[in-house]
Amino acid sequence: MKAVTWQGHRDVRVDDVPDPRIEEPTDAVIRITSTGLCGSDLHLYEVLTPFMTPGDILGHEPMGIVEEVGSDVTNLRPGDRVVVPFQIACGHCFMCATGLPTQCETTQVHGEGMGAALFGYTRLYGAVPGAQAEYLRVPQAQFGPIKVPEGPSDDRFVYLSDVLPTAWQAVEYAAIPPGGTVAVLGLGPIGDMSCRIALARGAERVFGIDLVPERLARAKRRGVQTYDLRAFDDEKALVEAIREETSGRGPDAVIDAVGTEAHGSAAAKLAQTATAMMPRKIAAPFAERFSIDRLAALHTAIDLVRRGGTISLSGVYGGTADPMPLLTLFDKQIQMRMGQANVRRWTDDILPYLTDQDPLGVDDFATHRVPLAEAPHAYEMFQRKQDGAVKVLMQP
C-alpha cells in the first residue's frame, strides 16, 4: 500500500509499504477514506525529529471502512464506517474507566515512561504505524473506533479523530463560567474549533489571537473578536488591549492552542533547530534531558488571564528543562489543566452537534483536500502557512 513516511527533518515521502494485517484478536483493519494533516504532525516535521526513525508512517486523524476484524472485536463488522481516535486505549482499565484513555494502562508505553500509545507519533508513544496511508491496523478495536452513519461526507465526522475532542477538552478544561470570557492563542485548527465550541457552549465573548490573516478572517466570520499580533509592538501591548475589554482584569480563561513552536521565542527556536539537525544517536538522549519549548504563547497566557482564572493547554509541549514563572502562577492563583485529548470521553457529547444544521461548521472546515500522493507538498504548504492552509485533508 501507499503511505506517508518520515525520512528526516522536513522530509516526508509517499512510499510503498507492507499492507497491515490482523495481529491480535482485538485488532481491526480499515480502508482509509480520509485522513487529516495535524499541527502536531508538523512537530515531527520540525522539532521532534530526534524521536523519529526513517520509514515511520505518519498520521493520526483517520476515518474509513472496516475491512477485517479480530475474533475479540464483536462491536464492528466489515463494511462499518468508522472514525479512529488518535490514541489507542482498551476501554476497560482503571484509567479508561475514569475517563482518561490517554493514560490507558493497557497501552501505556512503559519503556519510555509515557501514556497511551498514539498512531504515527514517535517512539515515545509506541512507534505505531500511522494513518496517512491506504490502510490502517487498529489495535484495541473493541473500544476505539467510533461508528458513524452513512450519508454525510467524511468532513462531517473525520474531526472526531482529534480536532473536535481536542478542542472540546480545551474548552472543558478552561472552565469558562456561564456568560464568561475566553482568549484563544493560536487560530490553527484546534484554536479555531475551540473558539467555535466556546461560543456554542455559552461563552459571552471569545478573543482570538493569531498573526496569519486568513486564520484571523476565518475566526472573525464565526463571531470571534480577533487580534492580529502583528498590530502590537509586543505581547504586553496585546495583553493590555484585551484587559481593556474585560474591565481591566483579563479574560476568565485562556486556551493556549499554540504549543512548543510559538513565535517570539528566538533562542528556544535556535536550540530546537540545532537539536533537530544533530545526528539522531546524539540528539535523542540530549532532547530527553535538556529539550526546551518556545514558551512565548504560554507566558502570554499567564500574563493575560485574570487573577483566579484558568489556563487550558491544548498545544503540544515537549520540553523537559523549561523555566516557568511560578511566582506569577502562585501569586495570581492561576489554575492550569493540560494533556492529550481523551477522545472517547467526549465523543458522545460532540455527536449531537454533527447535524445538517452544522453549528460548528465542520462541513467546510477543511481549507484543502489533496490526494495522498501530494502529502509532501501538503506538509510544506501547511508548515509555511501558504495558500491560506488551515486544515488539510488527504484522500488515499
Side-chain angles (χ1 to χ4, degrees):
M1 69 171 182
K2 298 291 186 183
V4 181
T5 65
W6 184 92
Q7 298 298 335
H9 182 245
R10 296 188 184 178
D11 182 3
V12 302
R13 306 173 193 175
V14 179
D15 291 329
D16 289 306
V17 302
D19 290 349
R21 58 184 178 81
I22 300 292
E23 298 178 18
E24 300 290 342
T26 52
D27 287 351
V29 172
I30 72 165
R31 174 176 55 84
I32 294 173
T33 55
S34 291
T35 186
L37 173 53
C38 179
S40 297
D41 292 323
L42 296 186
H43 299 323
L44 311 182
Y45 195 64
E46 287 282 338
V47 302
L48 296 182
T49 59
F51 304 110
M52 299 294 289
T53 302
D56 283 349
I57 300 174
L58 299 172
H60 57 268
E61 297 186 347
M63 70 174 294
I65 306 299
V66 175
E67 294 283 300
E68 186 179 2
V69 298
S71 58
D72 288 353
V73 181
T74 59
N75 57 317
L76 299 176
R77 62 182 182 181
D80 283 345
R81 190 186 191 196
V82 295
V83 180
V84 180
F86 69 87
Q87 74 233 187
I88 301 167
C90 70
H92 56 73
C93 71
F94 172 83
M95 287 295 179
C96 288
T98 56
L100 293 171
T102 55
Q103 312 303 325
C104 175
E105 293 172 320
T106 301
T107 72
Q108 280 177 17
V109 185
H110 295 289
E112 301 289 348
M114 305 298 278
L118 310 179
F119 288 105
Y121 216 78
T122 82
R123 66 170 173 79
L124 296 178
Y125 288 100
V128 181
Q132 292 170 4
E134 293 181 304
Y135 293 89
L136 177 69
R137 171 181 166 253
V138 181
Q140 303 296 328
Q142 81 288 345
F143 174 68
I146 306 153
K147 286 198 284 190
V148 296
E150 298 293 336
S153 72
D154 282 5
D155 293 57
R156 178 74 58 87
F157 303 111
V158 67
Y159 306 115
L160 285 168
S161 59
D162 184 349
V163 173
L164 282 165
T166 297
W168 189 277
Q169 180 172 291
V171 173
E172 186 75 18
Y173 282 8
I176 308 161
T181 56
V182 60
V184 179
L185 305 180
L187 297 174
I190 302 303
D192 185 341
M193 186 57 73
S194 295
C195 291
R196 300 179 187 205
I197 291 171
L199 288 167
R201 294 181 63 182
E204 181 178 323
R205 298 174 76 185
V206 175
F207 309 105
I209 298 98
D210 206 294
L211 43 65
V212 180
E214 293 87 353
R215 295 181 176 186
L216 290 160
R218 185 175 150 104
K220 188 174 183 178
R221 289 195 295 269
R222 302 289 307 192
V224 177
Q225 188 169 329
T226 56
Y227 291 80
D228 187 339
L229 191 57
R230 299 169 303 169
F232 298 89
D233 292 335
D234 53 29
E235 282 79 5
K236 292 288 186 183
L238 168 71
V239 168
E240 287 304 316
I242 297 178
R243 280 182 181 160
E244 289 178 4
E245 297 289 326
T246 55
S247 303
R249 287 187 294 268
D252 299 304
V254 176
I255 295 171
D256 174 1
V258 178
T260 185
E261 294 189 74
H263 290 272
S265 308
K269 179 179 180 180
L270 179 62
Q272 289 177 344
T273 302
T275 303
M277 299 303 289
M278 289 179 182
R280 286 175 51 253
K281 289 184 179 180
I282 300 173
F286 182 87
E288 286 175 1
R289 295 186 62 188
F290 304 113
S291 59
I292 61 174
D293 293 298
R294 304 181 208 171
L295 294 176
L298 179 53
H299 286 169
T300 298
I302 293 168
D303 194 15
L304 177 58
V305 70
R306 70 162 170 83
R307 291 178 177 274
T310 303
I311 295 174
S312 172
L313 303 184
S314 63
V316 172
Y317 284 97
T320 57
D322 289 324
M324 288 291 289
L326 290 177
L327 172 63
T328 303
L329 287 165
F330 184 85
D331 177 65
K332 292 185 70 174
Q333 204 167 338
I334 292 170
Q335 302 174 76
M336 188 178 293
R337 294 198 70 180
M338 66 191 79
Q340 303 279 8
N342 298 287
V343 175
R344 290 307 304 267
R345 167 66 180 84
W346 308 117
T347 49
D348 288 348
D349 295 330
I350 297 167
L351 278 166
Y353 288 82
L354 305 184
T355 63
D356 288 343
Q357 288 69 42
D358 195 19
L360 300 179
V362 294
D363 288 348
D364 60 358
F365 190 70
T367 54
H368 294 71
R369 297 171 181 80
V370 301
L372 191 70
E374 294 181 15
H377 168 68
Y379 268 82
E380 182 179 11
M381 174 182 65
F382 191 32
Q383 192 270 333
R384 294 185 177 181
K385 300 179 176 66
Q386 295 174 333
D387 195 30
V390 176
K391 187 61 184 178
V392 181
L393 294 180
M394 295 183 280
Q395 281 83 34

